[in-house]
Amino acid sequence: DVKPDIFQYMLGYVYGGSVPKEELMTHAKDIINAADKYSIVNLKLEAEAVYLNSTIFTVDNAMDNLLYADAKNCALLKETVLDFLAENSTEAINNISFADFPGSVVKDLMIAFDRSKKRIIQDHCSDSEGEDNDDDDGEDYSLMRVSELRRKLDGKGLDVDGSREAM
């Protein structure tokens, strides 16, 4: 069920090689699927990052990307799509059917809305008062971005793959 060329990339990666960026871009989802299936975490994370950087998120593809990210435990992709939905909520409400929206994602969506709201408030306060209103002590893990959670976990030698809750 894994295409031969994808399996070859995986095998080379496991034995110390790397997958060329062009191939990661071209086959990102296939590589994520295979790396997830065979628990090759670093390859999965690399392919996820390349997919994020090569994808333009729209209201038309947001739900498909969200469902995919949720199914494959791609926390960074999931966070990016949820942030997109939070920032484009009016357009999303008017154009997306949320019938297939997984209940397990609701908390993550609320976190994205909260981050978006806090960013807007900070931007407004910075513009109007000229003060630094950053009261984040850096330890509010529930609102911390996935990339920051992964950095902290990696620094402690812990697993960086999985859902926000698992991290």
Side-chain angles (χ1 to χ4, degrees):
D1 61 336
V2 175
K3 298 174 187 171
D5 55 337
I6 303 302
F7 191 78
Q8 184 177 7
Y9 297 141
M10 266 189 354
L11 196 58
Y13 188 88
V14 168
Y15 284 102
S18 62
V19 178
K21 188 166 183 155
E22 305 80 40
E23 299 302 323
L24 276 172
M25 287 176 69
T26 304
H27 304 289
K29 279 190 167 181
D30 289 332
I31 292 170
I32 291 169
N33 294 340
D36 185 59
K37 179 177 182 173
Y38 293 104
S39 299
I40 305 171
V41 175
N42 289 339
L43 179 57
K44 177 183 167 185
L45 297 178
E46 283 183 39
E48 179 184 14
V50 168
Y51 181 75
L52 279 173
N53 292 328
S54 64
T55 301
I56 297 171
F57 296 97
T58 65
V59 171
D60 293 332
N61 69 17
M63 190 57 72
D64 288 338
N65 278 301
L66 179 62
L67 294 173
Y68 178 75
D70 190 51
K72 296 298 175 186
N73 270 329
C74 292
L76 194 57
L77 175 58
K78 186 177 181 181
E79 179 179 78
T80 302
V81 174
L82 290 171
D83 286 346
F84 172 83
L85 290 173
E87 293 168 10
N88 299 280
S89 58
T90 302
E91 188 179 359
I93 289 166
N94 291 326
N95 295 303
I96 295 177
S97 168
F98 288 90
D100 295 329
F101 195 82
S104 61
V105 177
V106 173
K107 181 179 178 182
D108 292 328
L109 181 60
M110 299 309 298
I111 290 168
F113 273 111
D114 196 45
R115 262 197 319 266
S116 179
K117 179 179 74 174
K118 286 181 179 179
R119 190 187 70 252
I120 290 168
I121 291 169
Q122 285 177 342
D123 289 349
H124 177 70
C125 290
S126 304
D127 290 344
S128 63
E129 299 173 13
E131 295 178 14
D132 182 11
N133 291 318
D134 188 12
D135 60 358
D136 183 8
D137 63 2
E139 297 302 322
D140 187 358
Y141 297 113
S142 65
L143 296 178
M144 195 175 286
R145 303 212 46 92
V146 168
S147 57
E148 182 62 22
L149 283 171
R150 284 181 174 166
R151 267 193 293 281
K152 287 184 177 289
L153 288 169
D154 187 53
K156 294 181 181 194
L158 299 172
D159 189 17
V160 297
D161 189 27
S163 67
R164 171 182 287 287
E165 289 78 17
M167 287 191 261

